[in-house]
Amino acid sequence: MASPKTVWYLSVLLVFCFSLEKQDCLETPNVTSEESPTDGSQVPSGEKREVTATLIEKVGEVELDVYNIPLEDIHYLKFHVKSVTYPILISSVLNVTDINITTECSSDPSAFRCKCEDQYSWSCDQCSSYGSCDEIVDGKIRGCLNNYPSDGKFCQPITNPSPTTTAEPSTTYGEIIEIELDMTDISATLIDVLRASVSGLTYPVLISNVLSVTEVNFTTACYPNNTCRCEDQYSWSCDQCLSYGSCDNITDDSCGCIKAIPPYGPFCQPITNLTACPTPSPTPALPAEEETKNTLNLQFTMAITFDSNFNDENNAMFKDIDQTIKVIYKRNMRGFISAKLNRLKSGSVIADFTVITTIVDNVEIAKAKEDIVSTLGEKYKIRFTCLNNTIFRSGQVNEIVVADCKLDEVGQKTAICQENGHFSVRENNCVLKEIENLFFLSQALVGTGLPVFLERLRNSTFNLLDRIVASPATISTVVNILKNVANVSRSTPINKPLMKNFLETAGVLTSKGAKASWDVLNSNLTKSESSAFLGTVETLSNFLTDDFFDIETSRIILNKTTVNNSINNLFNLNSSVLIEIPASEASFNSITIITFDSLDNVLPARNSSSLNNSVNSVNTINGKVVLVKVNGTIKNVTFSFDVLNKALANPQCVFWNFNLFDGLGGWDDKGCELQSEKNGTVTCHCNHLTSFSILMSPSIPAVLRVALEFITHIGVGISMGCLVVCLIIEMLVWNAVTGNNTSYMRHVSIVNIAVSLLIADIWFIIGAAISDNEKKDLPACSTATFFIHFFYLALFFWMLVSGLLLLYWTVMVFSHMSKPAMLAISFSLGYGAPLIIAVITIAVTAPGKQYIRDNDGVCWLNWTESKALLAFVIPALTIVVINLLILIVVLFKMLRRGVGDVTQSDERNALVVIARCLAILTPFFGTTWGLGVGTMTTPNNLGIHIVFAIFNSLQGLFILVFGTLLDKKIWEALTGRSQVSSNRTKTTSAATSSSGGLGFFRLRRRNVFNVSAAPTSSPTGAS
């Protein structure tokens, strides 16, 4: 725990900053900030002594000792101190007449030195005590010491003129000074420790014979939730409570808590010092007709048949509804003036009515609407379709409902009730109150307030990042704040700390999570917030200080450096953009380069050929955006961009033209031309500077892409139809064809293969619909991708189950596994393994937002960033290889031993059908998804895309034909001609045909073994 000495030393430092005492060797004006009477009496705490009416001018000197500051900052301070115009007026009775840097201490490997600035020197005793590193001039002036003075007395003026002011009267005065200290970024625990330490001190605390501390108090505690609370006996002034909003009950004079941190003070003041809020003089109330009136045009729908007589004002129904509206809205709404039913119209019956009020409260309107339904609902069949929504409450179909924003937001939301019982948000103007407050402060911002303001803006945007990027209205407000900051920068040099805070704030708006909000803003073709955002960064880059510095944030990098006019200048920006400026063009001495890592989330891809980006959606910003500024002119510069998505082609070298489309802004290629495109790098040459990037589009023409989508969707539809037919057939013949374990497991495998592919195709259609939606639903897209991944993997793993069963029955002839054991192993492998792979894939890639493809909007596994697609490709192709090896082993065994080694003809038939399915479907599925990998690795190859679309569309048809239709036993079951097994022993030969259809695997041998077949319990054959 911190001791009271912490507060003691802090208080001593503050008091000495406001007082002056005599130096030992050099004369200074004899003035102090707080004095005690020389007669030993005490000045009462909180009481000021009266002073004589004589006006006395006092000159005070304040020394500031600053540690650990870079050399360049010292030079910066020296330059600006010299350029300040004096005196600087602080108040009507206080001004600053001069500011000087007196002493500069530095260390090097050999020694530590403290040097005096011009017109300043060390005193004689200090030179003697610490040793001089400079010559002694006239036995007095010493310019350098070999050590840091432990007494804290630094260089003093060489000549100290005697005070010219009139000597003070001999009367001694007692003066009380209050000092406020603003401490930031301290924990709540430390606040409690300091508060306890302060309360434990004994006052007064004597500092010198004429100086003492009479009291130390905590006044204000501000917290990360942007609330500031006053300590006991302190309070906020009335105007601050009204300006920032009170978080407790405002009394007549003040409040104890406000909802913001005042950027420029003052903080909580003693309650006794606060004056009451001004009470407005009473004014006669305005007549009702002169008050501000709000006319609300409302309606509700009744599910009854319309009759024109309803509009007769003497009609009982008309009078009932009119009177009910008046009573209910008068009861629920403050400021109610009148309400009137205007008319009843058809469709079913719609009641149009008007409410006039001085206060519009959306909650009161919603409550009155619910009371209308409660009162008249049963009588006139008034029903809510959308019920109990937490924001919009209840509404009827096509009713537009307005709701207030959250408590820490300002604005309104508008939604319409849909037939499905859900509200669809049409407009959201909600802005976070903290951002709104910052916007109001930015409108009165001046240069001296920039450091504090930008620090608060940066902290607020970081703390509220998730809510800011999800709100288009809040993003728009932040852009307006940045525009105000940019306007202030025109008269205020922007140094490195200011620019860093600005860029970190701007970086929040370029994050990936803000893309959906920017899409909403960019759809407004009358106002371009994205163009204004880039303009603010360009404006600030024009007013940077003359220093050279680098700034690197998580999303934006700034580099201001020198240019060599004797050689070609190369600037390699984060290994993603290379800029080359020939020596002949380097007629300037500095260059500022700002690289945006994710500005493609902000700027639309519209160019000079198309205004509406939704029409020209084929273009994509496919490189980093780089802003280049020089303090001169340039007509020859080369850019080399790393391509972000190598699946795109047709590069265009472009810059952002703020004047395009009547000031809306867009990408323009004027003055830029493509030089080369190779190895994932696009090189551009331009004859001017601004913000540059590259636009690219798919190499496959739009017409062919439409044709491919048509082939895919038609083919998938045919595939799904074939799978449904396959499942229906299996259901019809199930009892007839599953008479033994081999046939049973064979049909279990083919049913699960068909079910897996059918569900995967259904999710494929759902994913395609989500992808085609202009506003992509990322959670829905991720869900569709997960199920597509899972069920396509299940298809392959059930193929593996079939292969392993074939291998088991062929190799392990005399080993018999029970049916429950085989089912447990099959389902664990068929669905358990795919589930584990799918879950691991989404768990690893989804947190980094790299689960689905983002570059082309398709709901499928990501390839470019995370290579998540490998979680499907590797298992699928591995199963293909395993099944091919199984086929080779089975074929070898059959050729050596013969199919007749199997005990029953029904089992022989099942094994041959499994072998045929594997022999045909395994290469087919392997080829299909091998082509799928080819579409990823060579996305510009049109032929691969076409063949893949055809193969992918025929998978269901192949399962129906080779898994079901070519099985003789299924045909026999369907036609009622099933072969009945005999109870007698019969001899079979490998020369016998083992199945119908194509007669696949007909094997003929001279030397065969005859094996007696065991009797079959089932009277019906099975396949």
Side-chain angles (χ1 to χ4, degrees), residues 12 50 366 468 487 510 622 771 818 878 907:
V12 171
E50 289 189 8
I468 290 175
N487 290 333
T510 68
N622 204 28
S771 301
S818 66
T878 301
E907 291 183 349

Side-chain angles (χ1 to χ4, degrees), residues 125-196:
D125 56 346
Q126 286 175 310
C127 293
S128 302
S129 300
Y130 300 108
S132 171
C133 49
D134 200 358
E135 290 186 3
I136 298 178
V137 181
D138 297 332
K140 184 178 181 181
I141 305 301
R142 308 293 183 264
C144 175
L145 288 184
N146 282 323
N147 205 339
Y148 185 88
S150 59
D151 57 5
K153 297 178 180 178
F154 294 96
C155 299
Q156 302 296 324
I158 294 175
T159 57
N160 252 329
S162 300
T164 57
T165 57
T166 305
E168 296 184 16
S170 58
T171 308
T172 302
Y173 303 100
E175 297 182 0
I176 296 176
I177 296 176
E178 291 184 358
I179 301 171
E180 269 192 0
L181 175 63
D182 181 12
M183 295 184 291
T184 59
D185 298 330
I186 58 177
S187 67
T189 303
L190 183 56
I191 291 176
D192 295 335
V193 171
L194 292 176
R195 185 186 290 112

Side-chain angles (χ1 to χ4, degrees), residues 20-129:
L20 290 167
E21 298 192 70
K22 291 185 178 181
Q23 306 295 325
D24 290 333
C25 294
L26 295 177
E27 255 186 6
T28 58
N30 183 18
V31 180
T32 61
S33 299
E34 179 178 350
E35 301 171 357
S36 298
T38 56
D39 59 4
S41 61
Q42 295 293 329
V43 179
S45 175
E47 181 182 316
K48 293 188 178 180
R49 286 282 182 88
E50 289 189 8
V51 297
T52 60
T54 307
L55 295 178
I56 302 171
E57 183 183 63
K58 294 187 178 182
V59 178
E61 291 183 359
V62 178
E63 276 191 353
L64 179 62
D65 185 7
V66 184
Y67 299 90
N68 298 328
I69 59 175
L71 186 60
E72 58 268 22
D73 288 353
I74 293 176
H75 294 160
Y76 176 82
L77 288 171
K78 288 180 182 178
F79 173 78
H80 284 279
V81 163
K82 293 178 181 177
S83 62
V84 173
T85 303
Y86 300 100
I88 301 172
L89 189 64
I90 303 298
S91 69
S92 59
V93 295
L94 182 64
N95 58 63
V96 177
T97 58
D98 199 13
I99 300 175
N100 288 307
I101 295 177
T102 65
T103 314
E104 177 185 327
C105 295
S106 60
S107 62
D108 56 44
S110 61
F112 187 94
R113 293 182 174 87
C114 286
K115 296 181 180 180
C116 297
E117 295 295 304
D118 292 342
Q119 305 303 317
Y120 286 84
S121 178
W122 296 105
S123 61
C124 298
D125 56 346
Q126 286 175 310
C127 293
S128 302
S129 300

Side-chain angles (χ1 to χ4, degrees), residues 823-843:
L823 285 174
I825 294 174
S826 298
F827 276 89
S828 298
L829 184 60
Y831 291 118
L835 181 62
I836 292 173
I837 295 172
V839 169
I840 291 176
T841 303
I842 193 172

Side-chain angles (χ1 to χ4, degrees), residues 327-339:
V327 171
I328 287 178
Y329 277 87
K330 182 177 182 179
R331 181 175 67 222
N332 282 281
M333 297 188 69
R334 295 166 296 155
F336 175 85
I337 297 176
S338 66

